[in-house]
């Protein structure tokens, strides 16, 4: 699948979705970004954290198509879930199981719950994870959890931090899907160190890392802090 | 306090307690290890994971005194909590608030719950932590969470991994206590990189890191995997 132009879906139009879509499109792939309601999304005049106002962003990236969740998922041979964790399962239901069936879903979302203030807590952890919730809801889809442990700039350009000498993780039930995603991480984004943690239940580890990551961001005053595994 | 011989308590006689007690005693400090029932502990013929049979270990380390939790806590100017997370609050209650009052408690325990099999889950996380539970139960004690993210060998000799080029964290409400513990980590054990995460609520991060650490141990087949923070 790698080494050729692909059709890629990015679900979510926030900062993470914008960063992923722009980078993947810049590599020559055919990217469609999915959102609930394209007209409403383009009419927004405010942007979320780390994002640009969508209409302005889209004017700068006309090569990225915009569609509904279902249109984007139908378009993509591979699908990124870059929606907010709290909205992910609903967004994927709107995308439709038939549009996700048999495909690789690269889940980069975090189960963050901001309802009790900062720093956020997780709405699922410890005995379950968002990655597992999504895999259970879409058993015909090959969910691979990855990239959720770094900020969006680092996701697509790990060399921004320590020359890229740090780690990213993959978790998923399908070894071939993990190998494919590992290839995407290496070839598209330049990740040198990709660590396979195991099946989708191992997504609990990287998701729960957010509790430490949030404190590191506060202590070190940077959203780019990340970790290198040493043995 | 540093730079002179100290009286140190190590609560818990398992692998972590043995490793900490042996190292601290080897530095010339007066160490007492605390357990529920000294006679029963010495009569045991089995050892927990990573531990030696206590009577055999003690024969090799006669310089370490053995006492009840209360005797050890009363002896120590600084107290390590190296009991199993599930037993920690009970052990500290047996140690007695009056023996812990005003002292620094270095909490290295993890809230691991093995009841559902391997890998273990956490019995507290996300909106609370073991460090916070202990601090609430002993408001007169200065709880500093640290060292829980590495295995016991690395705790007392970080140079075992990557020449010591990795991080350990401190969390606690009392800045002076954190500075003192940071000194202990540097001067006694040789930690080069000690990162202050914030108040005791920040202990959630390092405790929740266990979910990732356990998977790394399984994937990389070593209990010595740990992390370096890069920015």
């Amino acid at each position: 699948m790698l080494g050729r132009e692909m059709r890629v879906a990015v679900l979510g139009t926030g900062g993470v979705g914008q960063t992923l879509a722009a980078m993947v499109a810049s590599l020559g792939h055919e990217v469609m970004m999915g959102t609930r309601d394209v007209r409403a999304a383009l009419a927004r005049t405010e942007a979320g954290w780390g994002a640009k106002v969508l209409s302005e962003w889209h004017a700068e990236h006309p090569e990225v198509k915009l569609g509904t969740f279902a249109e984007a998922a139908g378009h993509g041979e591979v699908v990124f879930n870059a929606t907010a964790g709290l909205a992910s399962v609903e967004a994927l239901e709107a995308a439709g199981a038939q549009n996700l069936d048999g495909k690789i879903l690269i889940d980069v979302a975090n189960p963050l719950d901001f309802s009790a203030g900062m720093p956020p807590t997780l709405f699922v952890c410890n005995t379950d994870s968002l990655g597992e919730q999504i895999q259970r809801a879409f058993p015909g889809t090959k969910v691979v959890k990855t990239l959720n442990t770094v900020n969006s700039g680092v996701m697509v350009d790990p060399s921004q931090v320590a020359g890229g000498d740090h780690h990213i993780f993959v978790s998923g039930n399908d070894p071939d899907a993990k190998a494919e995603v590992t290839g995407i991480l290496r070839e598209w984004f330049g990740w040198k160190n990709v660590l396979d943690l195991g099946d989708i239940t191992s997504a609990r580890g990287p998701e729960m890392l957010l509790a430490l990551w949030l404190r590191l961001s506060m202590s070190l005053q940077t959203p780019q802090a990340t970790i290198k595994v040493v043995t």
Side-chain angles (χ1 to χ4, degrees), chain A residues 74-91:
Chain A
H75 162 87
E77 297 168 81
V78 61
V79 180
F80 284 88
N81 173 36
T83 61
L86 270 169
S88 288
V89 171
E90 202 182 324

Side-chain angles (χ1 to χ4, degrees), chain A residues 51-228:
Chain A
K52 289 191 179 178
V53 171
L54 185 63
S55 58
E56 294 171 16
W57 181 87
H58 194 231
E60 294 168 16
H61 298 279
E63 73 281 12
V64 175
K65 291 176 194 139
L66 279 176
T68 62
F69 286 130
E71 288 165 346
H75 162 87
E77 297 168 81
V78 61
V79 180
F80 284 88
N81 173 36
T83 61
L86 270 169
S88 288
V89 171
E90 202 182 324
L92 291 164
E93 281 168 357
Q98 73 284 4
N99 289 319
L100 296 167
D101 222 40
K103 295 182 182 174
I104 292 173
L105 179 71
I106 304 178
D107 175 31
V108 309
N110 274 308
L112 296 176
D113 176 1
F114 292 88
S115 63
M118 291 296 288
T121 56
L122 303 180
F123 65 80
V124 58
C125 67
N126 195 27
T127 56
D128 197 3
S129 62
L130 179 59
E132 288 164 88
Q133 289 184 337
I134 293 172
Q135 183 62 82
R136 284 198 302 274
F138 300 91
T141 300
K142 299 162 194 163
V143 178
V144 178
K145 186 94 203 185
T146 191
L147 293 178
N148 70 299
T149 54
V150 293
N151 97 325
S152 58
V154 179
M155 285 183 186
V156 300
D157 183 9
S159 72
Q160 286 183 11
V161 178
D165 187 21
H166 48 92
H167 284 82
I168 202 74
F169 309 102
V170 290
S171 302
N173 294 339
D174 187 298
D176 292 339
K178 280 191 287 193
E180 182 81 21
V181 171
T182 299
I184 285 174
L185 294 171
R186 289 185 192 281
E187 294 176 30
W188 293 7
F189 303 147
W191 280 93
K192 294 184 231 173
N193 306 319
V194 182
L195 244 165
D196 185 347
L197 292 177
D199 66 16
I200 194 65
T201 67
S202 69
R204 297 172 198 178
E207 291 185 9
M208 290 166 76
L209 181 62
L210 264 281
L212 178 62
W213 185 88
L214 289 159
R215 293 294 185 152
L216 289 173
S217 300
M218 290 160 67
S219 287
L220 303 173
Q221 305 253 303
T222 168
Q224 292 213 323
T226 188
I227 64 172
K228 176 185 176 179

